[in-house]
Amino acid sequence: MDEAKGLTARHQKALEKAAISPGRIQLVRTITSEEDLPTELRRWGDRVLPAMEFTWKTVTGETLHQIRLNNPITGKDGNEIRYLFGDGVSGLIGVDPAFAEHQEDTRIPALLVEGTKQFMAAASALEDDHPSAVPFGIPGCWGWSSDGEPCTDLRAMALANRDVLVAYDADFLTNPMVFLAASRLKGYLEGEFLARSVRFLVIPGGAKDGLDD
């Protein structure tokens, strides 16, 4: 393990491969023991370890912890679980502190990015671009919603008369559920939130390829 960053070599390599900047990589740590899990995730025990821990800062000022499991587990619904938040987390939009002064500037397009590493990669790429767009993170294709409705963070964003770009993973055109999530998001952005335009980036590749690939 790299003691300076608290990362195993495997995790360090994965984040570097995702084109995440060194400063952002330093904010991630490897968890190998149950007592090091965030309090809200300790009920999972060592079955979710080892894992990477990410810290999300949200539009409304919350700080939330998320882990990425090395070895996925199967949930009660039979679906694979790779990422976990604590109980009760339902819908959030992440922000990157480097873009704090631009988050409400509607002259600059907002870029909504699906995925934890994808969001960090987008922020890393855009940081020195003055910025050409302000990245915001969505933890999953439905992560912008809570009980099917826009979450509190989405409602708090400055979106009226703003150009919005959305970067879902490459499967958003082929996976019906992801396409539905994208369509619902587009409807809210154009309707209730009065965005000037909404455009989806077409990510090359297949399956779960994203901006970090």
Side-chain angles (χ1 to χ4, degrees):
M1 181 179 292
D2 183 331
E3 296 297 337
K5 299 185 177 67
L7 285 171
T8 61
R10 170 181 173 171
H11 289 164
Q12 175 82 23
K13 183 177 180 180
L15 296 172
E16 290 174 348
K17 184 179 179 181
I20 297 170
S21 66
R24 290 177 177 83
I25 290 176
Q26 288 180 0
L27 301 177
V28 185
R29 67 173 180 146
T30 294
I31 298 177
T32 57
S33 61
E34 186 176 342
E35 57 266 28
D36 287 334
L37 281 166
T39 303
E40 64 271 26
L41 287 163
R42 286 183 185 166
R43 72 175 184 85
W44 291 94
D46 60 10
R47 64 191 289 237
V48 298
L49 300 176
M52 273 191 287
E53 181 192 27
F54 298 91
T55 301
W56 285 72
K57 305 291 185 181
T58 74
V59 169
T60 52
E62 287 192 86
T63 298
L64 299 170
H65 302 286
Q66 180 192 42
I67 59 172
R68 184 184 192 277
L69 288 57
N70 278 19
N71 304 302
I73 60 176
T74 302
K76 293 180 180 180
D77 57 3
N79 290 328
E80 180 181 279
I81 298 174
R82 170 73 74 175
Y83 286 89
L84 281 170
F85 282 103
D87 292 341
V89 176
S90 177
L92 65 95
I93 306 292
V95 297
D96 187 289
F99 296 85
E101 65 182 295
H102 303 296
Q103 286 169 16
E104 296 188 2
D105 189 342
T106 58
R107 297 169 299 177
I108 305 173
L111 171 62
L112 297 174
V113 183
E114 177 196 1
T116 304
K117 291 192 287 96
Q118 294 93 318
F119 169 46
M120 295 176 73
S124 298
L126 289 169
E127 186 170 6
D128 295 327
D129 204 10
H130 302 299
S132 57
V134 179
F136 294 89
I138 308 172
C141 65
W142 287 99
W144 53 269
S145 67
S146 179
D147 295 325
E149 300 290 329
C151 68
T152 302
D153 284 327
L154 187 61
R155 293 187 182 280
M157 288 179 64
L159 294 167
N161 200 34
R162 190 174 196 173
D163 294 317
V164 180
L165 304 170
V166 185
Y168 271 17
D169 287 346
D171 64 348
F172 98 92
L173 289 175
T174 57
N175 184 318
M177 285 306 296
V178 179
F179 185 78
L180 177 60
S183 298
R184 291 273 180 85
L185 174 60
K186 185 175 188 292
Y188 280 115
L189 291 172
E190 292 179 333
E192 183 172 343
F193 300 117
L194 303 176
R196 180 164 53 195
S197 68
V198 180
R199 291 174 289 170
F200 284 79
L201 305 183
V202 178
I203 306 300
K208 301 305 293 181
D209 286 342
L211 284 181
D212 59 330
D213 293 294

